[in-house]
Amino acid sequence: MNIHLVNKNIDEIQANLEVILMKKHKFLKVNNIFIHKKTMYVKIEKFKYYTITETLTNTIQHINKINKYKSIKISLYGTSNKKLQALIDGLTLGNYDFTKYQSKTIKLKLQNIFISHPNYKNYDLSYKKIKSKINKFILINKNINLVRDMINSVAQDTTPFEISNWIKKELKNTDIKCIIKNDEYIKNELSAFYDISKGSLNKPKLVHIKYSENKGYKKVVLIGKGVTFDTGGISLKPSEYMYDMRLDKAGAVTIFGIIKTINDLKLPIEIHAILGFSENMISNTAYKPGDVLKTRNGKTIEVMNTDAEGRVLLADLFIYAQDKIKKIDYIFDYATLTGSVSGAIGQYSAGLIGHNNKLKNKMIKLSKEVDEWYVDLPFNRYFLDNTYKSEIADFTNIPTSSIGGGTIMGGVFINNFVKQKYKKRWLHIDIACVSFIKNNWKYHQFGATGFGIKSSVNLIQKLV
Ligand code: BES
Ligand code: ZN
Ligand code: ZN
């Protein structure tokens, strides 16, 4: 499906159907959508950006259900960034359907959407400017839909081997370098990361992606948890909490989406992604509660719960990244780390953790611009002391007493592996609940949301 901005009055554009959003119309008294001849009237409560997105999501889904029209046309409903984005989000993110595993899929007829830009005098932005903005939103949303596909794909199809190859394939014809390290390398270099996959026949992969290296730009490192399936290990998850654990690779896959988008937009910044793909399985070779794992810098972790595998993986990835990449300006990690994040802040936001209030506030503010939400979950010095004190090793992997605040505690653990000089340059982003939803929400349906790409790209481009 293609979207075109046409520099014409809507009456001059040829299409099978015209879509008109209206607050009131005699046809709309009974139904919210009404088709009369070649026009579809759609009721909209008010012309706010979020109502535009929601209304267009419903409209495009309705058009696909009818599946009769090859092309539609619609006018611009405002030229502010938010309203342009609302239009494109509704038409592209609202149009997403995950059908990979269905035997019968209907081929959609809709090929072209024409947006009319008649250059009215009261429109303050020129055709060229609006076109470039619209194209940028289309490009970002294409990557969001690809990331949604990757996260939604089931664990048997996205083993560490398969997902890392899929990522490499998507980056093939770009200037991005993608290096995949195999399990032998991981065993020698990041043995704690290696150990959490010991129960699985699907061996771990470490993926290092580089964009714009050595050009003298600011350097951002993104670290991602890519657990392709999380059974909980020997500390097995109950079935109702396990079946959707293919989502546990969302952090790493989201980072792929961020770096691909930054490349597509040709932003002047150096980005490194360090992604750890691993399967947390249960078997006679699995790591066990009570085991002590040795991280890359020699620090040891006593495993009190094999389901807290993400933080062990991240610990090694942090040490690796800080060893391999010099003079980092910013270091952010993305992870589906704690189920408790939804209890703390609900399922529509990500938890934002770090020592730098200014940076956190910047992320919160900039993400609102693109319709994503983060909630600041502050550290407290009492949390930072002794939470992970082990009797036999340097750390445990879960707090040794029940002090609550599980999501903050996840950040407290990772904090132990962030070098002092990078403390204020670090953000921990817990996307456990917002990355995968079970109900319809905005332009999302059941499954992966692709959350984090829009906001991170918006933040990163302003760090330049
Ligand atoms: N992958 C889970 C977190 C998760 C839960 C993500 C629900 C998405 C939805 C993670 O590995 C985990 O199991 N965390 C534990 C941590 C606990 C043992 C300290 C959790 O959240 O219960
Ligand atoms: Zn787990
Ligand atoms: Zn996990």
Side-chain angles (χ1 to χ4, degrees):
M1 200 260 298
N2 294 309
I3 298 180
H4 319 263
L5 181 70
V6 185
N7 204 12
K8 279 184 184 167
N9 204 315
I10 194 144
D11 301 334
E12 299 163 30
I13 300 173
Q14 297 288 325
N16 303 128
L17 185 75
E18 176 178 351
V19 175
I20 303 181
L21 308 186
M22 296 186 119
K23 280 203 207 162
K24 266 191 199 154
H25 188 282
K26 60 178 185 227
F27 293 150
L28 294 172
K29 285 204 173 121
V30 189
N31 293 319
N32 286 343
I33 297 183
F34 192 92
I35 302 175
H36 181 65
K37 294 184 182 160
K38 282 179 77 182
T39 307
M40 176 183 259
Y41 299 90
V42 184
K43 190 175 165 64
I44 184 162
E45 290 294 324
K46 46 189 166 187
F47 284 95
K48 285 270 182 205
Y49 75 92
Y50 53 89
T51 42
I52 294 177
T53 321
E54 282 159 20
T55 308
L56 283 178
T57 297
N58 295 335
T59 307
I60 200 80
Q61 286 173 5
H62 192 83
I63 289 170
N64 285 339
K65 222 187 245 159
I66 303 172
N67 204 18
K68 186 168 129 188
Y69 306 102
K70 270 192 173 163
S71 61
I72 60 169
K73 58 181 179 177
I74 186 167
S75 292
L76 279 177
Y77 287 95
T79 54
S80 66
N81 279 349
K82 273 198 162 174
K83 287 208 173 134
L84 290 175
Q85 177 161 22
L87 185 79
I88 301 304
D89 282 356
L91 295 175
T92 56
L93 298 177
N95 196 20
Y96 176 81
D97 203 8
F98 185 65
T99 55
K100 186 169 167 179
Y101 297 108
Q102 290 164 4
S103 59
K104 257 199 214 151
T105 52
I106 297 158
K107 199 169 172 337
L108 293 178
K109 293 228 167 62
L110 186 62
Q111 298 288 325
N112 290 303
I113 299 178
F114 299 106
I115 300 169
S116 159
H117 173 263
N119 250 341
Y120 286 144
K121 284 194 191 91
N122 55 348
Y123 276 166
D124 44 357
L125 281 173
S126 73
Y127 169 75
K128 249 185 161 172
K129 264 197 193 154
I130 295 178
K131 190 174 171 139
S132 98
K133 286 186 184 198
I134 284 182
N135 286 347
K136 184 177 151 188
F137 294 132
I138 293 172
L139 179 156
I140 296 173
N141 291 353
K142 251 191 198 158
N143 289 334
I144 292 177
N145 283 342
L146 172 59
V147 162
R148 284 166 158 185
D149 271 348
M150 287 179 163
I151 298 171
N152 281 331
S153 292
V154 300
Q156 83 207 58
D157 294 336
T158 56
T159 59
F161 173 79
E162 286 180 276
I163 189 77
S164 51
N165 280 338
W166 188 355
I167 287 175
K168 193 169 177 139
K169 195 184 95 205
E170 295 293 342
L171 298 175
K172 210 170 169 191
N173 295 318
T174 69
D175 295 332
I176 303 178
K177 270 197 202 135
C178 179
I179 303 151
I180 302 178
K181 302 280 192 193
N182 62 20
D183 52 305
E184 259 169 64
Y185 180 88
I186 298 169
K187 193 173 184 178
N188 293 327
E189 300 282 327
L190 305 97
S191 72
F193 165 17
Y194 179 84
D195 286 344
I196 63 159
S197 316
K198 267 181 13 189
S200 175
L201 285 174
N202 295 312
K203 294 297 167 210
K205 297 281 174 197
L206 172 74
V207 181
H208 186 165
I209 308 175
K210 301 174 186 180
Y211 165 74
S212 270
E213 206 183 7
N214 300 327
K215 291 192 180 151
Y217 298 145
K218 284 247 168 84
K219 206 181 281 182
V220 179
V221 175
L222 306 175
I223 295 183
K225 169 179 174 183
V227 172
T228 58
F229 197 78
D230 183 10
T231 63
I234 307 278
S235 317
L236 197 64
K237 281 185 187 294
S239 350
E240 66 270 33
Y241 294 114
M242 195 200 292
Y243 87 99
D244 56 5
M245 275 302 138
R246 65 178 188 277
L247 68 82
D248 216 17
K249 57 187 179 299
V253 174
T254 302
I255 292 176
F256 150 75
I258 296 168
I259 206 165
K260 171 141 194 323
T261 305
I262 284 175
N263 173 72
D264 292 347
L265 297 173
K266 298 275 166 276
L267 297 180
I269 190 138
E270 178 172 336
I271 316 258
H272 292 257
I274 306 286
L275 315 178
F277 290 106
S278 160
E279 199 176 51
N280 187 16
M281 290 296 283
I282 180 164
S283 80
N284 65 332
T285 55
Y287 80 131
K288 301 173 204 59
D291 280 355
V292 175
L293 313 184
K294 197 170 192 175
T295 62
R296 182 178 164 86
N297 66 6
K299 293 267 189 251
T300 53
I301 301 171
E302 181 191 2
V303 177
M304 290 183 73
N305 187 324
T306 59
D307 198 11
E309 81 298 340
R311 57 195 70 191
V312 177
L313 164 80
L314 290 175
D316 253 351
L317 295 184
F318 264 88
I319 304 164
Y320 181 82
Q322 294 165 104
D323 275 357
K324 296 280 175 190
I325 305 159
K326 302 288 169 232
K327 292 201 175 142
I328 299 168
D329 289 296
Y330 296 97
I331 184 161
F332 305 153
D333 73 89
Y334 296 72
T336 47
L337 207 68
T338 60
S340 50
V341 71
S342 75
I345 60 172
Q347 62 168 346
Y348 297 141
S349 312
L352 187 61
I353 292 160
H355 298 282
N356 185 335
N357 290 332
K358 232 174 144 183
L359 187 59
K360 283 192 287 186
N361 288 336
K362 200 167 182 177
M363 178 58 138
I364 291 166
K365 188 168 165 260
L366 290 173
S367 64
K368 278 187 193 147
E369 283 181 10
V370 292
D371 212 14
E372 291 190 332
W373 284 272
Y374 289 76
V375 179
D376 180 6
L377 296 172
F379 282 135
N380 170 318
R381 81 182 169 86
Y382 299 105
F383 291 155
L384 291 167
D385 298 338
N386 291 329
T387 305
Y388 291 97
K389 197 174 173 330
S390 163
E391 298 295 333
I392 59 166
D394 297 325
F395 303 108
T396 55
N397 75 333
I398 56 168
T400 40
S401 59
S402 322
I403 48 175
T407 305
I408 303 179
M409 292 313 141
V412 170
F413 183 86
I414 299 165
N415 177 53
N416 291 314
F417 298 90
V418 180
K419 281 188 182 166
Q420 194 58 40
K421 63 176 172 181
Y422 294 137
K423 294 274 190 212
K424 294 252 177 194
R425 298 169 180 273
W426 163 57
L427 289 178
H428 164 55
I429 294 163
D430 194 333
I431 53 168
C433 293
V434 70
S435 64
F436 197 96
I437 54 163
K438 312 277 166 61
N439 54 312
N440 292 349
W441 168 48
K442 292 196 299 190
Y443 34 75
H444 303 296
Q445 295 171 49
F446 176 98
T449 59
F451 179 97
I453 298 177
K454 286 180 185 184
S455 46
S456 303
V457 170
N458 201 27
L459 173 73
I460 290 170
Q461 69 183 349
K462 284 170 184 144
L463 295 175
V464 175

